[in-house]
Amino acid sequence: MTGDAELQIHAVRCATATEVTVVVRCLRGPVRLGARFSLVRDTRAPIDLTVTSIVRYNHPDRTVDPGHSALVTLRGTGAQELRPTIGKTGREIMPIVQGDNPAAS
């Protein structure tokens, strides 16, 4: 699934077994509250994480638009897959998660 939502993870701020807060850059979207991510693009690792909070410029927001950064909290399973990996060149590769926004209401 490629969906209509894509975030690049730049840093993991806080992680528990069921929740992770990350600094992201939106690559495709906008990404809205309730968006559900099911795949890490390059590793194909399955995840099941739902956006429960978006903070931009120190204020809660309902969306993050492409090209913009935000602090995003995700809840579900697969948070351990959001840490950077080391590529063949020895450089860090930031994970990109793909998923779908909730249906418009």
Side-chain angles (χ1 to χ4, degrees):
M1 165 196 337
T2 56
D4 62 353
E6 194 170 69
L7 296 174
Q8 182 175 37
I9 311 299
H10 282 274
V12 175
R13 287 280 179 92
C14 178
T16 68
T18 59
E19 189 172 86
V20 61
T21 301
V22 289
V23 177
V24 303
R25 182 168 65 98
C26 181
L27 300 180
R28 187 172 359 148
V31 172
R32 299 189 304 265
L33 284 176
R36 191 168 181 179
F37 292 92
S38 58
L39 185 69
V40 178
R41 185 177 76 185
D42 296 329
T43 64
R44 311 303 291 171
I47 56 175
D48 185 9
L49 293 165
T50 301
V51 175
T52 59
S53 170
I54 298 171
V55 176
R56 295 183 59 219
Y57 304 107
N58 295 319
H59 296 286
D61 206 333
R62 298 194 54 77
T63 64
V64 58
D65 297 314
H68 292 268
S69 297
L71 188 64
V72 172
T73 301
L74 302 151
R75 185 172 292 213
T77 59
Q80 70 280 3
E81 301 294 339
L82 304 185
R83 300 212 182 269
T85 58
I86 304 299
K88 293 178 184 177
T89 62
R91 297 180 69 192
E92 271 191 343
I93 299 171
M94 300 305 194
I96 296 172
V97 294
Q98 297 177 315
D100 294 293
N101 277 301
S105 27

